[in-house]
Amino acid sequence: MLEKEFLQLICELIENKNWKQLKCELGRLEPHEAAELISGASDHDGIIIFRLLSREVAKDTFANLELDEQETIIELLAADGRKLSELLNDLDPDDRTAFFEELPGKVSQRLMQMLSVSERETATALLGYPEGSIGRLMTPDYVAVKPRYTIKQAFDHIRRFASKSETINIIYVVDDQWNLVDALTIETLILADPDKHIEDIMDHRFIALDATDDREEAVRTFSESDRVALPVTDSSGTLLGIVTVDDMIDVVQEESTEDFQRFGALQDAIVNPLKARITTLYKQRIIWLVALVFMNVFSGAALAHYEDVIKNVVSLIFFLPLLIGSGGNAGSQSATLMIRAIAVGDVQMKDWFKLIGKEIAVSLLLGITMAAGVALIASFRAPDVILVVAITMVLIVMTGSLIGMLLPFVFTKLKLDPATASAPLITSISDITGVFIYFTVATLIL
């Protein structure tokens, strides 16, 4: 607790406008003591005390204030943009984030514009938006105009603020509460009568992203809307920022890399194998490979079960790798098509049943074509198993294709990345089922 005599001294120094001695007295305080002093003072005296604190002490003092006191400080500092900007940039990221999270969206958006580029990136990442959400990609650097502006006033405004904007291809229209009401192309403004008002050319046909939307959802929206930038709003419609198409290009590259590596049965994305350590590469690959080793034990068990058939018709072994490989290849093809279709939104979960019939028809045609090829080979190598290998080829290709088509849907239903239905996993499942199919057909026919 601050002594009563000290509090009286501070009040007298403010009343007498003795700023030099006041600053000297405040310099002896710890941040929590300065916060206590501000809390007990009037708004007028409190902002004077805060402004006379050193930058380092002011930063820590602000963090010790209650939320309503912090908001009062921000409001009173608003007239001095430089001082407010210094404060916001000096705050520790976690303290600043805790403060921003409690503010209305439009206030947070305005304050974020005062941050440096690096601090803004940090603040955006920590503002509570889910990992992988649009909120972590958006920038508050855009140009917004009001419906009441004339076209001429709008261009004056654009000239004044466009240098700080990420893009001016799209100009956003907001009301007095900073709610997004429209998004106009710069071409629309250029072609409009300078004396018309913005509200006269508005059509309210705009697409906006929610700050909590997933980045992949944003990629699909960009693809469908053909825009270079899209606005980002909160749940109440307040314009928070924008995301641009170059941000989406980065997202697509990251997601594609991740999907390709998962499809290859890697645990996590490896940015550059040339720079990655040997131990890192080992850890990324070993888990799936060990798991698949144990899965392939079932293939060995199947072969052991049909040992008598193999002894009686040794030529069956010659065609085993060819048939099993064909099933895995067909499954990988089908899975690749489905994963891409799901990723870009061409296929939904409800479409799986429709696709089964189509996949059966396609895989049947593929199997018959490949069966003709393997039958031709068997006619020279082992004519006695032509029927066996031909039927098996049709069944294995159809089975592998259906496995490859259905696994991405299963993983999506389980809320897992469909790319996890990787080529090695599909191949292993196809191998196991292929062995059973091959020797079951051989047993029945031979």
Side-chain angles (χ1 to χ4, degrees):
M1 292 287 293
L2 295 173
E3 294 180 0
K4 186 176 181 180
E5 292 76 12
F6 180 79
L7 296 177
Q8 289 177 343
L9 173 62
I10 295 298
C11 290
E12 289 175 2
L13 293 174
I14 293 175
E15 185 176 352
N16 296 328
K17 299 182 179 181
N18 190 343
W19 310 131
K20 185 175 181 180
Q21 186 180 350
L22 177 59
K23 186 171 184 178
C24 182
E25 294 292 338
L26 295 175
R28 300 171 185 168
L29 297 177
E30 294 293 328
H32 71 277
E33 294 175 325
E36 180 184 344
L37 182 61
I38 293 172
S39 297
S42 65
D43 290 348
H44 174 267
D45 291 351
I47 192 62
I48 290 175
I49 294 170
F50 188 86
R51 289 175 64 90
L52 290 175
L53 297 173
S54 67
R55 288 183 64 171
E56 187 63 25
V57 175
K59 175 192 73 171
D60 295 332
T61 299
F62 186 86
N64 280 278
L65 293 172
E66 296 295 330
L67 175 62
D68 59 337
E69 295 166 345
Q70 291 179 333
E71 290 180 349
T72 299
I73 293 292
I74 293 296
E75 289 175 8
L76 296 175
L77 284 178
D80 186 348
R82 184 185 62 81
K83 186 71 174 179
L84 181 54
S85 178
E86 286 180 356
L87 171 63
L88 294 174
N89 281 285
D90 287 344
L91 287 175
D92 292 332
D94 53 345
D95 294 331
R96 184 174 56 223
T97 300
F99 174 58
F100 278 1
E101 283 181 330
E102 298 297 328
L103 296 176
K106 58 177 179 290
V107 178
S108 295
Q109 184 273 340
R110 179 170 61 85
L111 295 180
M112 283 185 66
Q113 293 186 16
M114 296 185 174
L115 299 176
S116 65
V117 174
S118 59
E119 290 297 331
R120 188 185 306 146
E121 291 175 352
T122 303
T124 301
L126 296 177
L127 264 177
Y129 298 116
E131 185 176 355
S133 69
I134 290 300
R136 296 201 176 194
L137 290 178
M138 68 181 181
T139 173
D141 295 333
Y142 58 87
V143 180
V145 296
K146 299 295 178 65
R148 61 178 177 270
Y149 289 3
T150 64
I151 302 300
K152 183 179 181 302
Q153 289 174 327
F155 274 114
D156 290 340
H157 183 82
I158 292 169
R159 292 187 190 97
R160 183 180 177 187
F161 295 102
S163 61
K164 300 178 181 179
S165 178
E166 185 85 6
T167 176
I168 59 170
N169 288 359
I170 307 295
I171 305 300
Y172 301 97
V173 186
V174 295
D175 60 20
D176 291 334
Q177 286 70 48
W178 215 259
N179 293 317
L180 179 66
V181 294
D182 209 352
L184 304 173
T185 64
I186 193 69
E187 179 184 7
T188 302
L189 293 178
I190 292 173
L191 297 176
D193 186 332
D195 295 325
K196 279 190 173 182
H197 290 80
I198 292 293
E199 58 191 357
D200 295 331
I201 62 173
M202 288 167 46
D203 58 10
H204 300 280
R205 295 168 57 188
F206 65 89
I207 300 173
L209 300 169
D210 190 281
T212 58
D213 284 345
D214 187 84
R215 297 188 304 177
E216 292 189 17
E217 179 66 28
V219 171
R220 286 193 285 270
T221 304
F222 263 93
S223 177
E224 294 168 358
S225 64
D226 195 28
R227 289 292 181 99
V228 297
L230 286 175
V232 182
T233 64
D234 63 11
S235 57
S236 64
T238 300
L239 180 60
L240 301 177
I242 64 171
V243 287
T244 56
V245 69
D246 55 326
D247 296 324
M248 293 301 100
I249 291 173
D250 294 337
V251 170
V252 170
Q253 183 177 2
E254 291 173 11
E255 294 294 333
S256 298
T257 300
E258 180 181 322
D259 287 350
F260 273 117
Q261 291 182 329
R262 286 185 176 177
F263 198 68
L266 297 174
Q267 281 296 102
D268 297 304
I270 300 172
V271 176
N272 190 339
L274 288 174
K275 297 180 181 179
R277 295 181 179 180
I278 293 176
T279 53
T280 301
L281 294 170
Y282 167 80
K283 291 176 182 178
Q284 299 300 326
R285 299 171 65 178
I286 191 60
I287 296 178
W288 264 108
L289 291 177
V290 170
L292 294 175
V293 164
F294 286 100
M295 283 190 64
N296 286 324
V297 168
F298 292 102
S299 297
L303 288 172
H305 180 74
Y306 292 105
E307 185 177 353
D308 292 338
V309 178
I310 295 172
K311 286 181 180 179
N312 292 331
V313 189
V314 178
S315 57
L316 291 173
I317 295 298
F318 174 79
F319 295 97
L320 182 60
L322 185 154
L323 294 168
I324 299 304
S326 297
N329 293 338
S332 296
Q333 274 189 341
S334 182
T336 301
L337 291 172
M338 287 304 106
I339 290 172
R340 182 193 177 280
I342 292 173
V344 301
D346 292 341
V347 170
Q348 306 296 326
M349 278 297 298
K350 61 183 180 181
D351 298 324
W352 71 272
F353 189 74
K354 299 176 185 176
L355 288 168
I356 285 182
K358 183 171 288 188
E359 189 64 27
I360 289 174
V362 172
S363 60
L364 176 61
L365 293 173
L366 293 172
I368 292 173
T369 304
M370 296 174 72
V374 77
L376 180 62
I377 296 172
S379 64
F380 294 101
R381 178 75 181 186
D384 54 322
V385 298
I386 289 178
L387 185 59
V388 173
V389 295
I391 294 175
T392 300
M393 178 62 83
V394 174
L395 295 177
I396 282 180
V397 169
M398 292 182 67
T399 302
S401 297
L402 289 172
I403 291 172
M405 189 213 80
L406 289 173
L407 269 182
F409 284 99
V410 172
F411 278 80
T412 301
K413 183 66 175 178
L414 297 175
K415 300 188 183 303
L416 299 173
D417 193 326
T420 308
S422 56
L425 176 61
I426 293 168
T427 301
S428 295
I429 296 175
S430 297
D431 286 353
I432 296 169
T433 56
V435 169
F436 278 103
I437 290 172
Y438 185 29
F439 288 106
T440 299
V441 172
T443 300
L444 294 175
I445 293 178
L446 300 178

